[in-house]
Amino acid sequence: MRYVIYARKSGESEERQILSIEAQLAELQEYSAKEKLEIVASFQEAQTAKEPGRTKFAEMLSFLQEGYADGILSWHPDRLARNSVDGGQIVYLLDTGKIKDLKFPTFWFENTPQGKFMLNIAFGQSKYYVDNLSENIRRGHRAKLRRGVYPGSAPIGYLNNHRTRDIDIDPERAQIIGKGFELYATGKYTLKQIARAFKNMGLRSQKGNVLAVSCVQRMLSKSFYYGLFKFKGETYQGTHEPLITKKLFDECQEVMKFRGHIKTRKAEKTFPFRGLLTCGECKCAITAETQKGHNYYRCTKKREMCSQKYVREELLTEQVKNFLQKVSLSSQDAEKILRELDKDEQKAKLDNHVVLQNLKTEITDIGVKLDKLLSAYLDEIVSAEEYAAQKEKLLARKVECGEEIREIENGSVSWLEPARAFVKSLNHATELVQSGDKSEMTTFLKQIGSNHILFDKCISFSPKIPYKLAAERSEAGNSHLQNPYWRRVWDALGTFFAQVPNQFLV
Ligand SMILES: [Zn+2]
């Protein structure tokens, strides 16, 4: 069966919300591809259907009457006719067999007496049309969302292109914003300092205002800049060009999380371990106070009876240093491991094609998973929240895979960077033991693990896997018969990072 496409939009204000002709055509083309319809011609016009006498509509009807096509594909019956004359003509052509079928993405039509009856109602029913308005707005957004275009005004650094309806990079502002992300990722600057830097570099909003600190914070947490965006709680992969990598974005989020903790920097200087520990008996926070020139830490005992006693800070410092010593690497040893890493890098480059293949497979798998997720959502097997959350996770991973692929193609090996960062942090532990900076120790402990507990005057916590391995290798003894510590660390970690580098970053 051969179909003609018919799209129409009038200039009337009441129809302002209806899909543009371009959007109707996009929807119809997608629909025809999905339904495998053969399209032989397309008619479009911008004229009201309230009164008879549309030229393109008349052309289409004679095209059908002459037998060049068998059916019409249109967005909704109200696009074809909104008066009884035009509606009657369509029905007459159906009755005489000149038109064999009508297809609408928004309306189910069957060429039966009941079908024609329903069609007649749809032609005449303006209430239906009004009811359909909100659905059409949603679909207008949907057309953009499907193209991966954010259906609102572009965030700073981008511009809405009103001609192509895409979102383009704003070359002047984009460069400054990219710089801002880079500065913030170093962890050396506060949001306020970043806001000031933006001001000095001449960054202004569309309205010409200097960006407020809250604005800068919101900006630095927008996934839009690395390629995803959220609309009504759902995440989409944008087709706009990213300003930054997801890696840089993640680094900024880490800094923000960390900086959020150090508002009370002063209090931390006085009581460096405050805010780190919770009570192992009653799960309350551990607080601190000074008695006779010594710092003491104790359970706040806010919830229930708790038998835990005061602990002197010196005792805690000793325990922390003890742990740090276990994961300490001297600068020389760190150098040795870093050199081994360089060798591995050479070797790994040869194996890269396997990794590339795996990443590409993963991207394909994600596509399949997204499809399944959507069906599960449409079949109401998963809730809207679940759907949104899962989709966001899958899309984020997809972007990550894409970045890893590009990195590998540019010649770097993805797991080496986390491994290098890890080795450097082991060397940092040595520095901490030497400097004795307790609030830095707290920061370090927070970064390398979680669930820090104080129980019977003893600190315990769950270190991230590589730190756990490093500590275990250290405890395994320092016998001269064994490999040196750095060797043992390296043997244990080489495999870990090559297999699950992302675990380290979580
Ligand atoms: Zn307690």
Side-chain angles (χ1 to χ4, degrees), residues 129 151 192 236 246 284 317 367 370 439 477 484:
Y129 157 73
K192 210 170 159 186
Y236 296 87
K246 178 168 184 295
C284 284
T317 313
L370 282 168
S439 54

Side-chain angles (χ1 to χ4, degrees), residues 6 19 24 27-28 74-76 79 104-106 136 139:
Y6 181 77
L19 285 183
Q24 286 180 41
E27 291 270 358
L28 295 175
S74 192
W75 175 245
H76 183 270
R79 297 299 86 199
F104 310 97
T106 56
N136 275 315
R139 279 175 197 274

Side-chain angles (χ1 to χ4, degrees), residues 247 345 348-349 352 355-356 359 397 400-401 403-409 411-421 497-502 504-505:
K247 207 165 144 193
E345 181 162 29
K349 275 180 183 168
N352 268 346
V355 182
L356 267 180
L359 284 167
R397 179 62 196 148
E400 242 166 38
C401 289
E403 283 179 10
E404 279 171 37
I405 286 175
R406 272 192 299 282
E407 266 179 29
I408 290 174
E409 282 170 347
S412 71
V413 183
S414 66
W415 62 272
L416 283 166
E417 274 323 304
R420 284 194 179 104
F497 279 104
Q499 281 165 359
V500 279
N502 292 320
F504 175 62
L505 303 168

Side-chain angles (χ1 to χ4, degrees), residues 315-330:
L315 195 65
L316 296 182
T317 313
E318 197 145 320
Q319 293 177 30
V320 171
K321 274 192 176 171
N322 239 329
F323 176 81
L324 290 178
Q325 231 129 27
K326 277 188 212 158
V327 296
S328 280
L329 264 190
S330 69

Side-chain angles (χ1 to χ4, degrees), residues 300-311:
T300 45
K301 304 190 181 185
K302 274 186 178 153
R303 267 174 234 159
E304 53 197 270
M305 293 284 288
C306 175
S307 65
Q308 293 294 306
K309 306 247 173 354
Y310 284 81
V311 192

Side-chain angles (χ1 to χ4, degrees), residues 40 47 80 143 190 413:
V40 291
Q47 205 177 338
L80 290 179
T190 61
V413 183

